[in-house]
Amino acid sequence: MGLTLIESRTAQDGTILCQVQDEEGQKYLFEPLNLTILPKDMMYVEILRELRQILRTPVEWPAGLKIFHYQRVEKCGPEWGLLFAYDQELWAHWLEKGSTLDPAGVVAAARTLLPLVPTALELDSAWTGFYPGDLAPLGTAGWGLLDPRVQQLLAPYREGGERRDLFSAPEVRAGSPRTEAAYLYTLGLCLYQLATGQFPFPLQNRRETITAMLREEPLDPRYLQPQVGAGLAQLILELLRRKAQLRPAAEACALALAQAEQDQTLVADPEEARRFQADTLA
């Protein structure tokens, strides 16, 4: 299949998406693998084999959610990548991928991800946790999700991909199996980063990061983003409780979002925002 590059775009988080066409003029989207190992390396060949196996294994995703399914592994020029159907919303909003969101955007992302918890449990090791880089902005159409099984497989071989391994619950690091509560912890990490642009624990040293995740409470996200309201901040912090039994269940999270929306506490009022802004500058 001969593919011709039409245009490429680089998102806020550094990921690249290309618009390509085949010999008949049919448009597709193409995500370059961009691996840190060379194609002649045997590991590269093994990754291609595993990718093809994943693409041949269907998943029953929840209805109503836009999951971007990669069709096959292809070459465009010298570059190996993932080919999938052209989507105008994804292409138009790719540059926004990885941006810090306002509270409304964070809530929309949470409502996109919450229904996926049962699917994540079924996939287990093939999808170990929610990760902000899997989310694809679609403008007024909301959010989509890049197949997280593929993204997880490629992460260790991509620049900066080691960050994904940090999206794991404390009890899982201690050897416990993945549960709903464990996946919801990674949802908390994801929402915190989407809301503030920062991981909730220091990242200078991996060992220190993991130690902090096991022993410390994260900083209230309002100190980093004062526009976050009390209701949204409270939910994020409850999802990040170190003890799994203290985290709300998925259904309770959905109810908490609805209640905060009703109480108008998803977005900080001006006085609250000024107070956290002042504390941050103090």
Side-chain angles (χ1 to χ4, degrees):
M1 182 180 192
L3 295 174
T4 301
L5 176 66
I6 300 173
E7 184 183 350
S8 64
R9 294 181 175 178
T10 303
Q12 290 286 324
D13 62 6
T15 54
I16 297 172
L17 186 66
C18 302
Q19 184 182 150
V20 300
Q21 67 179 22
D22 63 16
E23 295 166 340
E24 298 177 354
Q26 178 69 41
K27 287 196 298 186
Y28 295 90
L29 293 177
F30 179 86
E31 181 185 340
L33 295 185
N34 279 342
L35 305 185
T36 56
I37 53 178
L38 297 174
K40 63 182 180 181
D41 194 306
M42 283 301 298
M43 179 58 71
Y44 201 105
V45 176
E46 179 63 20
I47 290 169
L48 293 181
R49 186 193 67 79
E50 290 188 43
L51 276 175
R52 293 186 175 106
Q53 180 61 39
I54 289 175
L55 300 187
R56 287 194 296 265
T57 307
V59 173
E60 286 196 26
W61 301 99
L65 296 176
K66 192 152 193 176
I67 308 295
F68 290 100
H69 303 279
Y70 300 107
Q71 296 176 355
R72 54 187 176 272
V73 183
E74 285 284 354
K75 257 189 168 184
C76 182
E79 184 80 48
W80 283 101
L82 297 155
L83 193 73
F84 57 114
Y86 181 81
D87 185 277
Q88 178 57 35
E89 285 82 12
L90 180 62
W91 178 248
H93 295 279
W94 184 261
L95 297 177
E96 303 162 22
K97 181 175 177 288
S99 301
T100 303
L101 305 179
D102 62 19
V106 176
V107 172
R111 287 175 168 153
T112 296
L113 296 175
L114 276 170
L116 289 165
V117 171
T119 307
L121 282 166
E122 290 177 9
L123 292 175
D124 191 35
S125 60
W127 183 17
T128 58
F130 292 107
Y131 186 68
D134 297 343
L135 277 165
L138 303 176
T140 57
W143 291 93
L145 196 72
L146 303 173
D147 191 331
R149 302 172 300 161
V150 171
Q151 297 298 320
Q152 180 172 298
L153 172 66
L154 296 177
Y157 312 100
R158 285 175 158 173
E159 187 174 351
E162 67 280 356
R163 284 280 302 277
R164 190 180 187 112
D165 184 56
L166 296 175
F167 284 71
S168 181
E171 66 272 16
V172 173
R173 293 193 182 280
S176 296
R178 293 180 189 87
T179 61
E180 177 181 299
Y183 279 100
L184 288 170
Y185 181 89
T186 67
L187 176 62
L189 294 173
C190 189
L191 297 180
Y192 193 106
Q193 182 161 318
L194 290 172
T196 67
Q198 297 186 36
F199 193 70
F201 300 96
L203 288 172
Q204 289 83 357
N205 177 282
R206 176 181 169 78
R207 180 176 294 180
E208 292 177 1
T209 301
I210 293 175
T211 298
M213 294 174 73
L214 294 173
R215 298 180 181 178
E216 299 175 10
E217 300 295 338
L219 180 70
D220 189 311
R222 290 175 288 180
Y223 286 108
L224 300 173
Q225 178 48 271
Q227 296 303 317
V228 172
L232 179 56
Q234 181 180 355
L235 176 59
I236 292 173
L237 292 173
E238 287 181 353
L239 288 170
L240 293 175
R241 296 282 191 119
R242 294 197 305 276
K243 293 184 178 180
Q245 62 270 28
L246 297 179
R247 298 173 207 143
E251 184 177 349
C253 291
L255 291 174
L257 287 172
Q259 186 64 54
E261 186 172 41
Q262 180 178 325
D263 296 341
Q264 298 185 338
T265 59
L266 293 174
V267 181
D269 60 49
E271 182 179 348
E272 181 185 10
R274 282 195 297 268
R275 176 163 57 86
F276 277 93
Q277 182 69 45
D279 287 346
T280 301
L281 296 174

